[in-house]
Amino acid sequence: MSRYTALAPADREAMLAEIGVSSVEELFAAIPAELRLERPLDLPQGMPEQDVFAHLRELAERNVSCDDELSFLGGGMYDHYVPALVDMLMSRSEFLTPYTPYQPEISQGGLQVMFEYQTAICELTALPVSNASVYEGPTALASAGYLARLAGGEGRFVVSAGVHPHSLETLRAYARGFGAEVAVVPLRDGVTDLGAWREAVDGATAAVFFQNPNFLGAVEDAQALAAVEGPVVVAAYDPIALGILKPPGECGVDVCVGEGQPLGNRLDFGGPSFGFFAAREEYLRQMPGRIAGETVDVDGRRGFVLTLQTREQHIRREKATSNICTAQALNALAGVVYLSWLGRRGLVELAELLLQRTHYARETLCAIDGVEPLHTQPVIREFAVRLPAPVAEVVERCATRGVNPGLALREENALLVAITEQRSRADIDRLAEVLREAVAA
Amino acid sequence: MSALSDTRTGARDGRPPGGTGARPLAETAQQRERARTIFEKGAPGRRAFEPPALDVPRVDPDRLLPQRFRRSEPARLPEVSEPEIVRHYVNLSKRNFDLDSGFYPLGSCTMKHNPRLHERVAGLAGHARLHPFQHPGRAQGALELMWRLERALSEISGLPHVSLQPSAGSHGELAGVLLSRAYHEDRGETRTKVLTPDTAHGTNPATVAMAGLEVVKVGTSPDGGVDLDDLRAKADESVACLMLTNPNTLGVFDSNIREIADIVHGVGATLYYDGANLNAIMGITRPGDMGFDIVHFNLHKSFTQPHGGGGPGSGPIAVSDRIEPYLMTPRIVRLEDGSFDLREDGYPKSIGRLRGFQGNYGCFVRAYAYICSLGAEGLRDASETAVLNANYLMARLRAVARYLPPAYERTCMHEFVLSGAPMKRELGIKTLDLAKRLLDHGFHPPTVYFPLLVEEALLIEPTETETRETLDAFADAIRAILAEAEEDSEIARAAPYTTPVRRLDEAGAAKRPVVRQALPAADGS
């Protein structure tokens, strides 16, 4: 008996008697004998809570986290400060332990959070509709592909090479399923090659996909990329950069998706976080996932419900706009609480700070002998530099000095360096010092 | 005299407070407090966040980001202080029912207790603040944890290879169907159909469509299992896969599973196990031993993740040797020196990647902690107790079989289905009304109107972490509601009365969708 089940032997006996059987074994009579596992599972013995804690802590200690080194890793997930109130609210039982609000009368808290979250995402993107979250960034992009497919296009997908490689791979795997061809348009000086883009998009293109800022940190000319006739225009955005970037809804983007981790979510070695998904009004009924809507109760009180459920798998089955059921409600809660904490001015201030510090970091690193920018495009929070020594070795040398200089881009022998508000000028100077010695070694 | 007049009442206070829906009642304090969003609170100039000082030489921002790329107005986010945020969301939280406060027998969702230990260990900096692009050599604890979890899931499922990548059950299903497709294509076969029982979760057919295949429904036999004749008639060389849940969504273990597997394998198709109901069989029988090729787990169900109001979840899959070459990348490998690595290259037949990074690692930490706590014996005990609790509750509800008969008169597994059809006919209250009245009794209702096969269905899954007293109280509440309906069915029809809001206009919400707060135009401040 484990500590999470509450039946004493006497309970079991009384319950078996009520059922009218003499043993628990009898309840499993429907399972044929030849299918029974006639041995215990080959797993370690159960452990008391304190021992499990010690074991999990020991595993944790064998990871080098952002607490243990000066880290400039980014590439889609960023070490932003998560305010204490986010932790506090996420750990409240009332948010932590219910499931999808199938019974709206006792789920107004969660439903209103979804509604507020949707509002915040609409504000960030300047698009009129948002869902209540999908799994994470790359699947959000791939789901936008499925939306484009359902919206009527059997044609191919044209994708900028500036899209996060994980998003591109996920889109490819999804598209292989529903049968869309994927063509990739290369970058030129760090941004999507506009000439090649325009050439690649034709009457048979169902959707186009780009990312802003792109994987190399460069700000794309979203308006130029979105100025294509016909296809659904899908763009993945960094939500923090949206503090100062012209919103996709004003650039001609039809569907804006993105990785929500930077909004109050932990790194968690890659998940759980959330994906956001906003679109033009005409795609409302093709959106994947849950959507909260405002309504009134029988007495006229304002309330919220899951709405437009006829899009969803539990109603529409094979005609559903997505198979998604469980999404990332708790992580989306962290997102909207974080955005409220930043507030209207705070998001702008944060993004402007990153803009300044990132510029400083780029200049400082490029002053090192042999280190040069991989591209010269505007950057907001991340940039790439080419190194004069093998990048893998440079990263290892920096690691011995407690600095993680960024993500190694092996093909370009470059480093992708991310800045957050938690990386001060002194930290950047330290990075430059360690990197200088590492590339010279 | 009512058949239920001897019923015990007052499990919780379930009276309509002072009247019925026909007669408006005094509002509760919570009902009086009308919903206001965070966007309707605060005032210009209020703030919670204080940015760090600019510590680098300031450069003209327009030089760094040209004006044509800039947004002209700040996003209209709330302007609120920290105390306002805390009070707003704490008060909102009180408008939720949650598992920590009460019984949540939501069928097919396995709402078992969420140990707080899991939150503590997942929050350790070494796990929570580990960057997903950290070099594998400096993430050895995480990779070992994932490797150990993979091995444990392999043992529990009886299938040798595991990928932890999928983000939820439905995502695991997509992985499974894409793998099945890749397997057939690699053999030069184009198979276009996937068989799913008519009892299947909606995610199954939706997944099949997303994977570019066609759904073919298989019927259910009178005892609740797969209709073998129908299966034989539909299983042919055009079938890629059969997706099955066993025990199925009727709470019935299909004893013919070996024969089903033979039929499916006989036409060269694969057999997919929807692991939503794994909580019934851990340590007792294994999908791999039943003949399944691909299994998905719902870590948030069987291995107890907090459900978060609708996620996060996690949906790892386990596969047989013949499916392994197609499994997603990256994969976790254990090297000869005992260290661990993430590997992307060397899997030319892989279907690739289905999401970013390595999956929902935070969920892996919790699931692994759970397996460590329970061990082999504890997992088996969890399943046995889940089945015991379900059968006990079903037995307790025999007293109301006149109105709510079980859909199948047989021993159930970890959940069971009642039909509200006689209740609707004789008392004039629908399953929905019963569910809404349960809210006044302080219970989360069961899953309603699923499975689709059963008229006015209630799918009840108590889980192993509930006490006998709780199950008794729930059974008593149902009896009380039915007894009350015998006297005055309008009470249930207009329920609930005590919740923060009462029945909501869902049709209106869908007809005129309002999916975000309308905000005043920016004033440029």
Side-chain angles (χ1 to χ4, degrees):
Chain A
M1 195 174 126
S2 87
R3 59 184 172 275
Y4 305 135
T5 52
L7 302 186
D11 291 314
R12 288 175 197 257
E13 270 170 48
M15 292 166 77
L16 289 169
E18 173 82 23
I19 297 165
V21 294
S22 55
S23 70
V24 169
E25 183 56 30
E26 276 181 55
L27 301 175
F28 290 91
I31 303 179
E34 70 272 19
L35 294 181
R36 301 295 186 89
L37 186 66
E38 295 298 346
R39 58 170 177 81
L41 287 168
D42 183 14
L43 295 173
Q45 284 277 315
M47 290 194 271
E49 172 163 339
Q50 56 275 20
D51 292 1
V52 178
F53 177 76
H55 175 48
L56 273 286
R57 184 177 57 191
E58 189 272 326
L59 287 169
E61 282 165 357
R62 285 197 278 125
N63 297 323
V64 179
S65 82
C66 289
D67 272 5
D68 306 317
E69 63 181 5
L70 182 59
S71 176
F72 292 88
L73 281 173
M77 290 206 171
Y78 302 92
D79 183 27
H80 287 291
Y81 179 72
V82 176
L85 64 85
V86 167
D87 285 353
M88 181 280 258
L89 291 167
M90 280 181 88
S91 58
R92 279 188 72 87
S93 295
E94 299 90 336
F95 287 133
L96 185 69
T97 68
Y99 191 34
T100 305
Y102 294 121
Q103 298 290 341
E105 298 87 349
I106 51 164
S107 311
Q108 285 300 298
L111 285 161
Q112 187 174 325
V113 167
M114 289 180 182
F115 184 79
E116 292 179 357
Y117 163 86
Q118 290 166 194
T119 304
I121 295 299
C122 289
E123 287 303 317
L124 279 186
T125 58
L127 285 164
V129 296
S130 160
N131 72 9
S133 79
V134 291
Y135 305 134
E136 42 85 76
T139 46
L141 186 99
S143 302
Y146 194 54
L147 177 147
R149 176 76 170 185
L150 295 178
E154 292 252 313
R156 63 182 192 147
F157 292 167
V158 173
V159 189
S160 157
V163 162
H164 193 294
H166 292 178
S167 297
L168 178 56
E169 289 169 42
T170 302
L171 180 67
R172 277 189 201 281
Y174 272 57
R176 211 174 294 133
F178 54 76
E181 186 195 327
V182 175
V184 176
V185 172
L187 300 184
R188 196 170 160 173
D189 188 26
V191 290
T192 313
D193 183 336
L194 260 181
W197 179 261
R198 287 178 182 138
E199 216 160 281
V201 178
D202 58 23
T205 306
V208 297
F209 302 79
F210 66 90
Q211 181 177 314
N212 198 17
N214 69 21
F215 183 65
L216 299 179
V219 174
E220 293 273 4
D221 188 341
Q223 275 170 296
L225 291 171
V228 287
E229 276 307 309
V232 178
V233 177
V234 180
Y237 270 76
D238 178 326
I240 300 289
L242 277 173
I244 52 175
L245 269 185
K246 189 186 278 287
E250 292 173 15
C251 296
V253 170
D254 296 311
V255 180
C256 177
V257 296
E259 172 55 60
Q261 183 275 335
L263 302 178
N265 277 259
R266 316 196 292 216
L267 291 164
D268 275 339
F269 200 41
S273 60
F274 69 92
F276 60 89
F277 197 114
R280 288 195 188 288
E281 190 100 41
E282 63 188 285
Y283 296 113
L284 177 59
R285 286 180 165 76
Q286 272 122 19
M287 302 267 283
R290 312 290 183 193
I291 298 176
E294 186 177 331
T295 188
V296 290
D297 79 354
V298 288
D299 298 328
R301 289 179 201 95
R302 185 188 193 184
F304 303 90
V305 292
L306 292 179
T307 194
L308 302 170
Q309 294 193 64
T310 50
R311 299 165 298 112
E312 293 189 58
Q313 47 80 24
H314 61 289
I315 309 278
R316 200 45 106 57
R317 302 180 74 86
E318 62 266 31
K319 300 226 163 46
T321 58
S322 166
N323 68 342
I324 193 166
C325 179
T326 296
Q328 308 287 136
L330 189 67
N331 306 93
L333 164 73
V336 69
V337 171
Y338 180 77
L339 283 170
S340 301
W341 178 75
L342 279 182
R344 179 178 177 159
R345 285 182 302 160
L347 179 62
V348 178
E349 290 161 353
L350 174 59
E352 293 285 5
L353 176 75
L354 298 185
L355 183 70
Q356 294 286 343
R357 280 196 185 159
T358 303
H359 172 72
Y360 174 77
R362 193 192 214 181
E363 299 270 292
T364 307
L365 296 197
C366 289
I368 299 171
D369 248 6
V371 175
E372 17 177 277
L374 191 63
H375 61 78
T376 54
Q377 303 298 333
V379 292
I380 293 177
R381 62 137 80 231
E382 196 163 29
F383 61 96
V385 288
R386 209 187 293 278
L387 300 183
V391 63
E393 290 170 30
V394 169
V395 168
E396 286 308 309
R397 277 180 220 133
C398 293
T400 62
R401 309 216 20 214
V403 174
N404 193 325
L407 177 63
L409 306 174
R410 279 163 212 246
E411 277 176 36
E412 292 91 356
N413 197 51
L415 263 183
L416 185 63
V417 182
I419 305 296
T420 70
E421 74 288 355
Q422 303 209 81
R423 303 295 169 265
S424 65
R425 176 181 183 162
D427 293 334
I428 294 166
D429 292 343
R430 162 101 180 129
L431 166 66
E433 176 201 324
V434 169
L435 189 66
R436 180 178 295 115
E437 288 165 24
V439 295
Chain B
M1 214 33 210
S2 155
L4 296 166
S5 60
D6 63 335
T7 191
R8 283 170 280 167
T9 53
R12 299 238 188 145
D13 183 14
R15 290 173 302 106
T20 72
R23 281 178 286 134
L25 308 162
E27 283 188 309
T28 65
Q30 240 186 351
Q31 287 170 346
R32 270 196 302 278
E33 188 190 318
R34 297 303 156 89
R36 277 205 304 149
T37 71
I38 190 83
F39 293 89
E40 293 161 318
K41 295 184 175 174
R46 289 190 197 160
R47 61 186 311 146
F49 167 70
E50 295 168 293
L54 182 64
D55 53 358
V56 297
R58 186 177 182 280
V59 177
D60 175 11
D62 286 348
R63 235 193 75 207
L64 301 181
L65 184 65
Q67 200 59 46
R68 67 194 175 99
F69 292 148
R70 282 183 168 268
R71 84 186 288 156
S72 53
E73 294 293 337
R76 290 169 298 183
L77 296 174
E79 293 185 87
V80 281
S81 61
E82 163 153 343
E84 285 177 283
I85 299 173
V86 169
R87 189 159 294 166
H88 176 74
Y89 286 104
V90 167
N91 281 323
L92 264 192
S93 79
K94 292 178 177 170
R95 294 163 79 83
N96 270 356
F97 181 89
D98 66 287
L99 174 62
D100 280 347
S101 329
F103 188 40
Y104 213 124
L106 193 63
S108 213
C109 300
T110 314
M111 301 297 287
K112 62 168 83 173
H113 171 67
N114 306 131
R116 280 308 191 279
L117 165 67
H118 300 178
E119 302 313 301
R120 177 178 284 179
V121 292
L124 292 169
H127 297 304
R129 296 203 8 84
L130 180 59
H131 195 283
F133 272 133
Q134 178 60 289
H135 188 282
R138 289 182 284 284
Q140 285 293 298
L143 295 180
E144 178 171 341
L145 185 151
M146 290 169 69
W147 185 83
R148 284 171 178 256
L149 179 60
E150 284 188 357
R151 292 301 93 221
L153 295 177
S154 163
E155 170 65 6
I156 293 164
S157 62
L159 286 164
H161 313 283
V162 175
S163 168
L164 299 176
Q165 199 178 90
S167 311
S170 54
H171 204 214
E173 289 176 30
L174 180 63
V177 176
L178 291 174
L179 287 171
S180 182
R181 208 182 139 145
Y183 163 78
H184 293 300
E185 283 173 1
D186 192 34
R187 295 156 56 92
E189 296 180 12
T190 309
R191 292 175 176 244
T192 55
K193 294 177 188 162
V194 174
L195 305 180
T196 63
D198 47 13
T199 54
H201 296 117
T203 51
N204 292 176
T207 298
V208 172
M210 276 181 88
L213 300 174
E214 184 196 336
V215 179
V216 177
K217 268 194 219 168
V218 180
T220 297
S221 66
D223 66 353
V226 170
D227 181 336
L228 290 179
D229 291 334
D230 197 36
L231 176 62
R232 276 192 207 94
K234 287 170 180 164
D236 61 29
E237 317 278 299
S238 69
V239 172
C241 175
L242 168 67
M243 299 179 88
L244 204 63
T245 313
N246 197 23
N248 65 18
T249 57
L250 301 169
V252 167
F253 188 90
D254 200 321
S255 310
N256 297 323
I257 183 61
R258 282 306 270 276
E259 200 172 342
I260 293 168
D262 287 345
I263 295 169
V264 170
H265 290 151
V267 294
T270 62
L271 194 56
Y272 181 90
Y273 184 90
D274 178 331
N277 294 344
L278 190 76
N279 208 44
I281 60 163
M282 295 186 294
I284 294 161
T285 179
R286 308 192 301 173
D289 299 338
M290 297 179 212
F292 285 92
D293 300 281
I294 307 167
V295 169
H296 88 250
F297 304 85
N298 296 82
L299 294 188
H300 47 297
K301 298 180 183 176
S302 327
F303 301 92
T304 186
Q305 311 284 313
H307 280 60
S314 180
I317 58 168
V319 302
S320 60
D321 286 329
R322 63 174 176 156
I323 304 295
E324 182 276 333
Y326 315 96
L327 212 53
M328 295 84 86
T329 55
R331 302 204 195 158
I332 299 156
V333 290
R334 189 183 199 184
L335 307 177
E336 274 180 18
D337 64 0
S339 67
F340 299 89
D341 198 8
L342 275 175
R343 197 167 278 175
E344 308 232 19
D345 302 329
Y347 306 102
K349 293 182 175 181
S350 166
I351 61 167
R353 175 186 271 289
L354 290 179
R355 58 159 286 163
F357 306 113
Q358 284 79 242
N360 282 343
Y361 176 76
C363 299
F364 307 155
V365 176
R366 292 173 176 86
Y368 179 66
Y370 182 67
I371 291 169
C372 288
S373 287
L374 267 64
E377 241 177 274
L379 287 175
R380 188 184 169 108
D381 174 68
S383 285
E384 287 183 349
T385 309
V387 171
L388 175 63
N389 272 356
N391 278 286
Y392 175 73
L393 184 54
M394 189 163 79
R396 283 296 322 269
L397 290 169
R398 265 188 222 131
V400 297
R402 177 181 158 196
Y403 298 125
L404 289 173
Y408 293 88
E409 275 292 352
R410 53 186 281 185
T411 303
C412 68
M413 297 300 283
H414 67 306
E415 62 186 353
F416 60 97
V417 184
L418 302 181
S419 169
M423 173 180 73
K424 183 179 171 189
R425 203 168 49 237
E426 293 181 31
L427 296 177
I429 68 170
K430 293 182 290 188
T431 285
L432 183 73
D433 303 320
L434 176 67
K436 296 304 181 198
R437 191 70 180 116
L438 273 168
L439 302 177
D440 288 324
H441 284 259
F443 293 109
H444 195 289
T447 295
V448 292
Y449 299 99
F450 183 83
L452 308 174
L453 199 59
V454 176
E455 198 186 345
E456 295 289 318
L458 286 128
L459 177 59
I460 305 174
E461 181 180 8
T463 83
E464 72 277 13
T465 59
E466 297 298 335
T467 63
R468 184 177 155 207
E469 301 88 273
T470 301
L471 305 179
D472 286 341
F474 180 75
D476 290 345
I478 295 220
R479 286 167 57 124
I481 293 168
L482 293 170
E484 173 188 80
E486 285 180 332
E487 302 300 321
D488 180 0
S489 60
E490 182 56 27
I491 297 175
R493 273 199 300 272
Y497 304 90
T498 56
T499 46
V501 293
R502 298 185 54 218
R503 278 197 213 196
L504 291 146
D505 181 6
E506 298 191 37
K511 208 166 165 189
R512 298 169 297 277
V514 178
V515 300
R516 70 185 164 117
Q517 173 89 52
L519 299 175
D523 57 13
S525 65

